[in-house]
Amino acid sequence: AQARAADLTIAEGFYPATELAAADEAMLTNSVLEVAPLVTLDGRPVGSGAPGPVTRQLQGAYRDEVARDTGTG
């Protein structure tokens, strides 16, 4: 929901390692990890090898929404 609200293009799916390795940035999401940057793959960096701006934006938006939903923010 946060990505769509930020007008970001979303592409969910299963991607081969070659596509992930060529990405500017990549992330994993689930209810336990929330939004986790994928910064290395097979010992090589994905993008710059650091969390990218979109990942950081979505991490903050997710945490803000959880805080609102749980009354802790």
Side-chain angles (χ1 to χ4, degrees):
Q2 293 87 5
R4 285 185 178 89
D7 201 28
L8 297 171
T9 301
I10 300 165
E12 298 177 52
F14 296 99
Y15 298 95
T18 54
E19 276 191 59
L20 291 172
D24 292 332
E25 68 181 285
M27 67 196 77
L28 306 169
T29 62
N30 68 38
S31 60
V32 175
L33 294 174
E34 298 176 351
V35 179
L38 179 62
V39 296
T40 61
L41 182 65
D42 294 333
R44 289 175 287 183
V46 173
S48 68
V54 174
T55 301
R56 289 191 304 270
Q57 176 186 0
L58 291 176
Q59 285 174 318
Y62 184 88
R63 289 184 185 133
D64 290 348
E65 186 164 325
V66 168
R68 279 191 304 276
D69 288 350
T70 60
T72 59

